[in-house]
Amino acid sequence: MFATSVKSAIKRFRLEISGVVQGVGFRPFIYSVAKMFDLKGFVGNESKGVFIEIEGEEKTLKEFVEYLKTNAPPLSHISEIKQKNLELKNENDFQIIESESEETEFTLISPDISICKDCLEELLDKNNRRYLYPFINCTNCGPRFTITKTVPYDRPNTTMSTFTMCKACRGEYENPLDRRFHAQPISCWDCGVQAWFVGENVEKGKPIEQTQTALKLGKTVAIKGIGGFHLACDARNETAIETLRQRKGRVDKPFAVMCKDLDTAKKFVEINQAESEILTSKERPIVLLKKKNDCGLSELIAPNNQFLGVMLPYSPLHYLLFSNDLDVLVMTSGNFSNEPIVKDNDEALEKLSKLADSFLLHDREIFVQCDDSVVRILATENTEVTEGNYPQINTDKHRSIDEFEKSISESSVSSVANLLPFRRSRGYSPFPVKLPFAVPQILAVGGELKSTFCLTKENFAFMSQHIGDMENLETLQAFENSAEQMKRLFKVEPEIVVGDLHPNYLSSNWAKKTYSNFVAVQHHHAHIASVMAENGVKDEKVIGFAFDGTGYGLDGKIWGGEVFGGDYIKFERLTHLKYFPLAGGDASVKNVYRMALSVLREAEIEWTEDLACVSFCSETEQKILSKQLENNLNVVQTSSFGRLFDAIASIANIRHKATYEAQAAIEFEAILDENVSETYHFEILENEIDYRNLVREAVRDVRANVQKSTISAKFHNAVADLILQLSLQYRKSLSLNKIALSGGCFQNVALLEKSVKLLQKSDFEVLIHKLVPPNDGGLALGQAVIAFWQSK
């Protein structure tokens, strides 16, 4: 098959391959291909990737290199192959040699990946020695990032170093032709990771069966997984769900569910082809899917929400939990609100004992926690995949980053949908965003909510996993541990450290105290820079819409309805939502009726009891609030679109008190009637966007008993039309045609889809998020690139 008819000169090449090429079966792949081509030499790991020295006929060597590019292992991603000629050594064999480590070089680390088809078949094969073993894995699947302490990715540098392999595992581990060759997490019943149950009536040796029994009895079980603990209960047991909500103090915030398989998920939610592919992908994120009418699951799982977060089993342990009479579980992060997910056994037994009735533990240490990723499939015409993209969907046949970008842009998935990340974590982190320019070593510490950080080196931006809301010492400690791990993995010593301009953000204050080279950037500029960077924008100017709940402005006020013109270095605030008063700060964020009363007052609308937001507020509080607003007492001015969404939702009698972030806006979007084309109207003034006429229009509809779904649609239509009108205006005056959409408001899929459709109809090039979240979880990427460009 590979024979050549004409002999060519004998040559020796050194190949240096970078990318995700360690811990993914790359060296045994090279070994088997070299044998197949009858080439001589060796392959090994080094800090920056994999190196190969290989000799044979020149034509055969070239065929060998081409074969590597197109047939590499499914979890590998080749970013670069460097080649140089060497002197011949006339070797007579090909072998795998020991790893080499270099002080300053680095390689990419694979994220934690769902169990592969081969391991799943062995897990359920009664004749296999790993039958029903909850920690089966191979080079194509299993934990990676969460067990890695440092590089090279070899067993002594992982949390598997404490387990001594048995003879059978050692044989597989050392056999270059075996699927488990140098699979660092390799283990089995005889020598590896073990699980046990902690709770009532413990029966030794049956942890899975006891966990199933507890779940069927309506108990909550804390289950240790790959990246941390889940709190699990039977999703068909309303009492169990209600108990979990009460214990966790989680009044309304939706829970995610894990379904036994795709067919089970289809009983509860609508699933199209694109959603099916991402649900079953090796990343296995939580996917937000539209509930079916009368789906059969308790409303307590996701109250007042038309969407349900669904994931499928991604570890062998998960697969073993399910049975015919246990086919769907609530699976929520094992933590208290706003704290990072718990990862250690002792910590779980101490902290989660107030939340869980029993525990399913194991003895493989999780080095860093990594929560589940959350995504939604966005149906838009914006299907172009840019240079910044990285593998996400249906990647098994994609070999290099460049080939992946080309193949995904031609795939059936991308022709109908884009992936919109809400939380980027397990399955994706720490795979980098590829930047369109080389950057120095930078640490960006993000914001306060949905905390992540970013490390940059060369043309890579390494985004951390989701850590939590940076409001307590537990989250700060997890942040510090994760930052230290990733600095080691990618050999980064920050030349620049950057954070948010807000004077009270814990992340920025920690960075100021820890590093002398700290700089601050404006919150919404970072949002726009983030979406620019992931879309491969180099040094162009864009028109940026940064709509969110809160961000510290250059004038000391709370921004959040910002329209910018500019680039990475500087921006001009072209216009913004007209300021309105936020009385009592967080009191108005949680009690959204206060926001409603504030904008009613600004619109000169009397507080009358026929408006639900007014009647919800007691007479006493109305008097206090009125005095506050009149005398500007404990009041901050805000231009936040997030807060305006809250206010209109309360005026429309959707939600008056929020028990979790953006609840009012989420429920307002959920009731929208997609068939309504009518709109409310903003007034575009010289330097601000006046919302007062829109408020009056909404109040008229409320008093005329117009359906809430129509009010929601008219408001969303108004915001999308505003974006279009401002884009047309500034295209004319600034000669700019690229529109960047970022900030938490663009998690609102109805708004995003409407905006993109209108903009593309007018021939704008639209930049939206596909790789990092539009919320503050993507902020650190923008901070990093701004810090680089401003330092030049």
Side-chain angles (χ1 to χ4, degrees):
M1 175 181 174
F2 300 103
T4 54
S5 56
V6 180
K7 289 269 186 181
S8 60
I10 303 297
K11 297 280 187 179
R12 185 178 183 88
F13 290 167
R14 179 177 172 92
L15 305 174
E16 295 176 354
I17 305 177
S18 58
V20 180
V21 290
Q22 291 189 17
V24 292
F26 204 84
R27 286 178 300 166
F29 162 73
I30 296 293
Y31 177 90
S32 61
V33 175
K35 291 286 190 183
M36 185 169 67
F37 280 92
D38 195 25
L39 297 170
K40 315 303 179 185
F42 54 81
V43 60
N45 277 343
E46 59 184 356
S47 297
K48 60 187 175 184
V50 164
F51 63 93
I52 305 167
E53 289 195 16
I54 193 161
E55 62 182 59
E57 290 188 24
E58 185 174 13
K59 185 175 182 181
T60 306
L61 289 173
K62 290 178 179 178
E63 290 173 351
F64 169 81
V65 173
E66 288 305 309
Y67 190 89
L68 299 190
K69 293 177 181 178
T70 55
N71 294 278
L75 298 190
S76 67
H77 303 289
I78 299 172
S79 56
E80 185 179 23
I81 300 179
K82 292 181 180 178
Q83 177 182 317
K84 65 179 179 180
N85 293 330
L86 299 175
E87 293 291 324
L88 291 175
K89 291 186 178 179
N90 297 312
E91 291 172 309
N92 55 18
D93 199 3
F94 192 90
Q95 58 185 320
I96 297 172
I97 65 171
E98 291 295 313
S99 298
E100 296 178 0
S101 181
E102 297 177 51
E103 191 67 29
T104 60
E105 300 292 351
F106 72 101
T107 188
L108 305 185
I109 301 295
S110 170
D112 302 298
I113 294 302
S114 168
I115 182 174
C116 69
K117 183 184 176 191
D118 290 332
C119 283
L120 184 58
E121 287 177 355
E122 291 174 353
L123 177 72
L124 305 177
D125 179 1
K126 292 182 179 180
N127 297 315
N128 191 279
R129 74 185 188 90
R130 291 187 177 88
Y131 175 57
L132 301 184
Y133 180 56
F135 307 100
I136 188 172
N137 66 83
C138 70
T139 53
N140 295 326
C141 67
R144 295 288 189 280
F145 173 58
T146 53
I147 65 170
T148 304
K149 297 178 179 181
T150 189
V151 289
Y153 176 71
D154 289 326
R155 194 172 175 102
N157 293 331
T158 73
T159 61
M160 289 299 297
S161 61
T162 58
F163 296 91
T164 302
M165 283 180 269
C166 66
K167 184 178 179 180
C169 283
R170 174 66 64 182
E172 295 167 326
Y173 183 85
E174 294 178 348
N175 180 0
L177 300 180
D178 193 282
R179 200 174 85 250
R180 293 187 172 88
F181 176 76
H182 280 215
Q184 309 305 342
I186 187 173
S187 63
C188 71
W189 286 112
D190 295 329
C191 67
V193 185
Q194 301 296 324
W196 65 96
F197 181 81
V198 176
E200 295 180 359
N201 305 316
V202 174
E203 189 176 348
K204 192 174 180 180
K206 295 187 176 180
I208 301 297
E209 293 88 336
Q210 289 181 282
T211 301
Q212 289 176 322
T213 299
L215 292 168
K216 290 173 187 177
L217 290 173
K219 304 295 185 181
T220 296
V221 184
I223 298 173
K224 186 177 182 181
I226 288 179
F229 278 81
H230 284 110
L231 294 170
C233 69
D234 185 353
R236 295 183 183 274
N237 188 321
E238 187 150 330
T239 302
I241 299 166
E242 188 173 13
T243 300
L244 179 55
R245 281 206 175 278
Q246 289 171 351
R247 289 176 179 174
K248 206 172 181 188
R250 191 162 170 159
V251 181
D252 295 311
K253 191 175 182 180
F255 286 138
V257 298
M258 180 179 282
C259 294
K260 178 181 178 182
D261 50 35
L262 190 62
D263 287 339
T264 301
K266 288 177 179 178
K267 296 176 185 177
F268 314 123
V269 289
E270 304 288 348
I271 303 176
N272 63 30
Q273 180 62 29
E275 291 162 341
S276 174
E277 293 210 22
I278 190 62
L279 269 175
T280 57
S281 70
K282 59 186 174 59
E283 291 83 5
R284 295 286 168 100
I286 296 170
V287 186
L288 297 177
L289 301 165
K290 191 161 188 179
K291 292 178 187 174
K292 287 186 172 179
N293 293 330
D294 302 319
C295 73
L297 293 179
S298 170
E299 179 64 17
L300 286 174
I301 295 174
N304 304 311
N305 199 311
Q306 291 186 2
F307 284 80
L308 185 64
V310 177
M311 59 180 158
L312 298 183
Y314 55 84
S315 77
L317 184 146
H318 290 149
Y319 275 95
L320 297 177
L321 291 175
F322 291 99
S323 61
N324 290 334
D325 52 353
L326 197 65
D327 62 350
V328 55
L329 297 172
V330 166
M331 292 283 260
T332 190
S333 301
N335 60 354
F336 283 95
S337 295
N338 302 325
E339 291 187 7
I341 187 172
V342 171
K343 68 181 181 68
D344 298 322
N345 292 341
D346 291 344
E347 183 187 13
L349 291 169
E350 178 187 347
K351 281 192 171 183
L352 302 184
S353 59
K354 296 177 182 177
L355 305 178
D357 301 297
S358 49
F359 296 80
L360 179 59
L361 306 177
H362 63 72
D363 55 0
R364 182 176 63 212
E365 179 191 353
I366 298 170
F367 191 67
V368 288
Q369 54 264 87
C370 194
D371 216 333
D372 297 312
S373 295
V374 182
V375 305
R376 186 164 165 190
I377 293 295
L378 174 68
T380 75
E381 298 171 24
N382 187 29
T383 59
E384 181 181 357
V385 176
T386 66
E387 190 176 351
N389 278 16
Y390 61 88
Q392 298 176 81
I393 302 176
N394 195 20
T395 58
D396 283 358
K397 295 181 181 178
H398 305 144
R399 300 309 169 197
S400 73
I401 290 177
D402 292 337
E403 287 168 335
F404 172 78
E405 289 159 3
K406 182 175 184 297
S407 62
I408 195 171
S409 66
E410 296 169 350
S411 73
S412 60
V413 173
S414 64
S415 66
V416 296
N418 280 315
L419 193 69
L420 179 65
F422 283 20
R423 182 203 290 167
R424 183 185 184 275
S425 204
R426 179 191 49 76
Y428 300 99
S429 183
F431 200 79
V433 175
K434 191 178 176 185
L435 298 175
F437 36 73
V439 292
Q441 297 180 29
I442 298 172
L443 167 62
V445 299
E448 184 170 72
L449 300 179
K450 300 176 175 64
S451 176
T452 62
F453 61 86
C454 177
L455 290 169
T456 65
K457 189 172 185 177
E458 298 176 2
N459 64 332
F460 294 116
F462 299 96
M463 291 292 293
S464 78
Q465 72 276 33
H466 167 82
I467 296 169
D469 292 344
M470 190 71 80
E471 296 176 336
N472 51 65
L473 292 175
E474 290 85 354
T475 308
L476 178 60
Q477 184 65 55
F479 181 96
E480 290 179 309
N481 292 343
S482 294
E484 286 303 313
Q485 181 219 23
M486 283 182 61
K487 281 165 60 181
R488 281 196 304 275
L489 294 183
F490 303 119
K491 307 291 179 69
V492 171
E493 282 301 327
E495 301 164 43
I496 304 171
V497 179
V498 57
D500 196 274
L501 195 63
H502 198 295
N504 296 325
Y505 275 7
L506 185 58
S507 56
S508 292
N509 288 332
W510 169 82
K512 288 175 194 174
K513 291 175 183 176
T514 309
Y515 296 93
S516 59
N517 51 350
F518 177 82
V519 295
V521 302
Q522 202 280 324
H523 188 93
H524 300 95
H525 188 197
H527 270 308
I528 298 304
S530 174
V531 73
M532 291 168 64
E534 73 159 76
N535 280 278
V537 176
K538 294 183 180 178
D539 54 3
E540 302 170 72
K541 285 181 164 52
V542 303
I543 301 166
F545 292 83
F547 291 178
D548 66 0
T550 184
Y552 193 75
L554 295 179
D555 57 4
K557 297 177 181 177
I558 303 301
W559 290 8
E562 311 310 308
V563 186
F564 293 156
D567 52 24
Y568 296 120
I569 299 175
K570 62 181 180 180
F571 67 91
E572 179 187 355
R573 195 184 189 199
L574 301 173
T575 189
H576 60 85
L577 191 65
K578 180 180 175 64
Y579 286 119
F580 53 93
L582 187 68
D586 283 348
S588 288
V589 175
K590 294 173 182 175
N591 301 303
V592 293
Y593 62 89
R594 293 169 63 94
M595 286 305 324
L597 268 60
S598 179
V599 299
L600 287 174
R601 184 178 183 274
E602 292 296 299
E604 300 179 342
I605 297 171
E606 187 180 353
W607 294 352
T608 54
E609 295 293 313
D610 62 322
L611 296 175
C613 56
V614 177
S615 61
F616 193 87
C617 184
S618 69
E619 276 191 43
T620 302
E621 188 176 6
Q622 285 185 40
K623 289 177 182 177
I624 295 170
L625 182 59
S626 181
K627 284 286 185 186
Q628 274 189 280
L629 296 172
E630 184 179 339
N631 298 309
N632 201 32
L633 296 172
N634 192 24
V635 168
V636 293
Q637 296 294 317
T638 183
S639 61
S640 166
F641 250 107
R643 299 289 79 84
L644 185 64
F645 266 90
D646 289 347
I648 303 300
S650 181
I651 289 169
N653 196 22
I654 302 300
R655 165 70 53 180
H656 303 300
K657 290 179 75 75
T659 64
Y660 63 90
E661 186 196 3
Q663 182 179 8
I666 289 168
E667 294 179 2
F668 195 35
E669 177 196 1
I671 64 161
L672 178 148
D673 185 343
E674 296 175 357
N675 297 313
V676 172
S677 58
E678 300 166 86
T679 184
Y680 296 134
H681 303 87
F682 290 95
E683 188 177 356
I684 300 175
L685 305 179
E686 185 176 351
N687 293 312
E688 63 183 12
I689 303 157
D690 195 338
Y691 55 83
R692 291 175 297 180
N693 181 65
L694 180 146
V695 173
R696 296 180 195 115
E697 291 176 321
V699 169
R700 279 197 292 271
D701 277 353
V702 170
R703 285 174 169 161
N705 295 317
V706 172
Q707 288 188 337
K708 295 175 184 179
S709 57
T710 299
I711 294 172
S712 174
K714 290 171 76 172
F715 180 73
H716 283 79
N717 291 343
V719 180
D721 185 63
L722 171 72
I723 291 169
L724 173 64
Q725 296 308 319
L726 289 170
S727 298
L728 291 168
Q729 175 182 321
Y730 293 122
R731 175 163 66 184
K732 187 174 181 180
S733 62
L734 301 175
S735 300
L736 297 176
N737 199 56
K738 272 192 174 139
I739 308 298
L741 305 178
S742 189
C745 288
F746 291 106
Q747 278 189 188
N748 182 319
V749 171
L751 173 63
L752 185 56
E753 289 181 347
K754 288 173 183 290
S755 302
V756 170
K757 186 175 181 181
L758 289 173
L759 290 166
Q760 289 183 334
K761 213 171 182 180
S762 294
D763 297 321
F764 285 100
E765 183 180 347
V766 187
L767 309 179
I768 64 172
H769 287 279
K770 301 179 289 292
L771 308 183
V772 301
N775 59 46
D776 286 3
L779 200 66
L781 174 61
Q783 291 174 344
V785 293
I786 290 172
F788 160 61
W789 281 94
Q790 290 186 346
S791 71
K792 293 180 71 174

